[in-house]
Amino acid sequence: MVAEDPTDSEAIRASFERPDAFEPIFDRHYGAIFRYLARRVGQDSGAELASEVFTIAFARRGTFHTDSPSARPWLYGIAANLARRQARTWKRRRRAGKRFNHTDAIWFDPAAEDRMDAENLRSALADAVSKLRSTDREVLLMHALTDLTYREVSEALAIPIGTVRSRMSRARRQVKETLLAGGQVALAAELTEAGDADAS
């Protein structure tokens, strides 16, 4: 018998006999998954993909390791795959000469008071991130746009934690170098501080 407030593992196990038992997974994690995807691909696409994450998760719930208490890293892994697929679709459309506009996609939450400065910072950071290798970019975005630990990023992306650490280190270093080369000294310093905080 499942407790009144089941853990993610309990809810997923119970859903094999009672599909409605999967509902707490959606209720607990939809907001976080939507915010992650909205920042990756924009609000509209983010809402569409977030719903798809849970459709896929339900269909593939047999792949969830029920010894994990939280389904969050697993769900983020599905979301990252969908975001990559969306990016490939956009690239194909651009190559095909179709109009491409995803200006509502947000790479980070600027804290600057002045919107123009915030837009400039966002543009500089997005440009720096776009120059990373795709594997490094994925780890950086997964960590920066969620509250996942390195261990959870490792679980979400199905890579060793040492690989997460090395990719994060390389990504931060390269983004910092690109920002400094573009005269974004303050933003580069913030990135360094964030990296130091993660390492502590």
Side-chain angles (χ1 to χ4, degrees), residues 122-185:
R122 180 169 63 187
S123 177
L125 186 55
D127 181 59
V129 170
S130 72
K131 292 178 179 172
L132 296 173
R133 284 193 292 195
S134 61
T135 52
D136 294 348
R137 183 171 54 245
E138 189 64 59
V139 167
L140 179 68
L141 291 175
M142 177 69 71
H143 183 67
L145 301 181
T146 71
D147 59 352
L148 295 183
T149 64
Y150 281 11
R151 185 164 301 287
E152 289 170 325
V153 171
S154 160
E155 186 180 334
L157 299 178
I159 56 176
I161 191 168
T163 303
V164 171
R165 288 191 179 104
S166 63
R167 288 180 183 175
M168 277 293 294
S169 176
R170 183 169 51 243
R172 281 199 169 112
R173 184 181 67 251
Q174 290 173 356
V175 167
K176 180 181 173 183
E177 288 169 0
T178 302
L179 291 173
L180 288 173
Q184 296 288 346
V185 177

Side-chain angles (χ1 to χ4, degrees), residues 2-3 5-15 21 66:
V2 177
D5 193 15
T7 65
D8 289 352
S9 295
E10 290 168 339
I12 290 170
R13 277 197 298 267
S15 74
T66 53

